Amino acid sequence: MNKLVKYLLSVAILFVSLPSNASVIWQLNNYVFDDGATAVGSFEWDETSNTAISWDIDILPVLSDSPGNYSDATGTSYSYAPLDILTFQEGAYWQFRLGFADLDLLDTPVASLSLYSQNTGQTGDYGFLECNNCNPWREGMRGAYLSPAVPEPATLALMGLGLAGIGFARKMKAA
């Protein structure tokens, strides 16, 4: 096979394997409510549309009529830019809300991203709450944050293969 074709194929594999910057998967960490319940899960943020495009968040223990799970399969999500609030909704009334200093902070992965409450009636004192008809039901406690999810092993393996191909092509070119 022609060395140039090998090189171009290697570069193509590398670029296909690189994660897209159009979305970031955020993992919930240390989400504890004032009644001792916890929220665990993740959501994918699309920077192009400024919306969550997939999510799966469990809240345990479940209140008597709470959904217990907020999922893109059964619920909806919307962001409210003037107050920088991201809301996951199940059914007509149950909502899990997150507050940020600026929703644009969700566009770029960082080691950790803290919550922020611009309006405590909307997101509680520490930037998150779960509510029924948005009469604050459970308010979040201090210390919750988001972190980017670790890339899947298949993505890393494909990227490694692309880098190895580039290295091989350079070695062949030098020989």
Side-chain angles (χ1 to χ4, degrees), residues 7-8 32 38 41 45 53 60 87 103 128 152 154 159 173:
Y7 178 75
L8 291 174
V32 179
T38 59
W45 179 257
I53 54 175
L60 298 168
T87 301
L103 284 171
F128 72 105
E152 292 188 21
M159 190 168 78
K173 185 177 180 179

Side-chain angles (χ1 to χ4, degrees), residues 27-150:
Q27 188 75 38
L28 279 66
N29 298 283
N30 200 33
Y31 280 70
V32 179
F33 293 93
D34 55 5
D35 65 354
T38 59
V40 296
S42 62
F43 65 91
E44 184 174 0
W45 179 257
D46 180 54
E47 72 175 83
T48 306
S49 63
N50 273 346
T51 58
I53 54 175
S54 67
W55 59 94
D56 188 20
I57 300 167
D58 291 318
I59 299 180
L60 298 168
V62 178
L63 293 173
S64 62
D65 60 342
S66 165
N69 177 266
Y70 295 84
S71 166
D72 59 276
T74 56
T76 59
S77 170
Y78 54 92
S79 53
Y80 184 56
L83 293 177
D84 294 302
I85 296 171
L86 176 58
T87 301
F88 301 98
Q89 184 165 332
E90 285 290 329
Y93 301 113
W94 279 97
Q95 297 181 359
F96 177 62
R97 293 180 174 180
L98 304 174
F100 300 95
D102 187 338
L103 284 171
D104 288 335
L105 294 172
L106 293 169
D107 294 348
T108 308
V110 292
S112 68
L113 179 60
S114 297
L115 300 177
Y116 179 78
S117 188
Q118 292 187 35
N119 182 328
T120 58
Q122 298 292 320
T123 58
D125 291 335
Y126 301 112
F128 72 105
L129 58 76
E130 181 187 38
C131 63
N132 182 351
N133 204 18
C134 287
N135 178 7
W137 196 270
R138 318 184 202 216
E139 199 169 305
M141 302 300 290
R142 181 188 311 269
Y145 65 96
L146 298 172
S147 62
V150 177

